[in-house]
Amino acid sequence: MSDFSKLQIAPKHLLILVLPVLVLTVSEFLLGTFGDTSVSVTGVQLDETSRLAELDARYKFLAALLFFGAVTITLTAIFTFELYARHTMRSICYTMCGVVGVIAASLMFSTFEPEWMPNSFESHYLLGDNLFRTALGAGELPGCAPGAALAQACNGEGAFFAMKYLLDRVNILTSLAAGAVITGMVLALAAPASTDLATPDGLVAEGRALQLAQDTAQRYLYCSGILLTTGMVLVLAWMTWPSALIADDTVRSAHEGLVNSVSLFRGVTYSVLILSYYMPVSLILRLRIERFKSAVEQAGSPELAADIEGFNINQIASLDALKSTLAIVSPILASAIGSFADLSFFG
């Protein structure tokens, strides 16, 4: 494919990337300001079968983490291939600047954790840091045995160290994949490097680009749903890790209720996150499609726009609209299902 036929993203469209960062900022502000990041679960007594229960929860967490890691790598690879195959070098440079910004913002929330930021992003502060340290601290790790590779870093924290160690590293993959699916959605707005709608060739090129844009937007919407749903499963596996170890039924039930509430908030946040970049792209694409339809009518070639529709509120009851809606709310559904399924499908 020659360079003139490749796609070019307008820098102004990359400003949409600011919206997901804003959603994350608002979410963390709400939790850090109106939530309680210093919860202390009093009277924690571990069940006599706590060793087995901890291992059961640990393996479910590892299964969720492995699956999520595979999803993040796959989605990042898809985005990278499409970016280099379809876009001009200038478009690639603009896009990489935007991706780096999204990744940096995401890592700031999950890994860098500057002093001014509340602890709300790390859910164990919302669910009782002392409970996590007590319940998971008793877990033994081969990697933490004397002379093992992680013996120095473990510092006697047991499985709590495993949770922190693995999550800090998977957060890097999370940030890469989030940057990929968000930016991939925005790249649906890319257009051929030079298109003149007043010429037949220009109309054909724009028609092909719009058809590709529709497919791209829909594909990255589904990818977003997959990423954030599997991410929600990982979050649930993380947050429920110590619950089964609590001996007192009343304390355990209350803690499980708190886990369900926090997971619901996370699920809603992820769904709003999807909306923050899907809706602007859909609406801008719709305006571009209307402009294209007007051009083909004037040229007397309406057949060029026959399969190009884009987001249409009048077709909200259609099957495609239903699938799009399910993709958007999938993190909420995952949090709701996980609240009573107890992640048994990983067992």
Side-chain angles (χ1 to χ4, degrees), residues 251-273:
V251 176
R252 183 171 62 252
S253 177
H255 187 263
E256 289 173 347
L258 182 58
V259 167
N260 294 341
S261 298
V262 174
S263 66
L264 177 61
F265 184 89
R266 292 295 187 197
V268 170
T269 298
Y270 293 162
S271 291
V272 174
L273 190 69

Side-chain angles (χ1 to χ4, degrees), residues 171-225:
N171 280 337
I172 297 174
L173 293 177
T174 303
S175 299
L176 289 173
V181 297
I182 293 171
T183 310
M185 177 73 75
V186 175
L187 289 183
L189 298 175
S194 57
T195 303
D196 185 1
L197 296 183
T199 65
D201 288 344
L203 287 175
V204 171
E206 178 69 355
R208 290 175 179 172
L210 287 174
Q211 187 65 59
L212 178 62
Q214 287 184 134
D215 295 340
T216 299
Q218 204 68 14
R219 180 168 62 257
Y220 279 103
L221 175 61
Y222 297 151
C223 287
S224 298

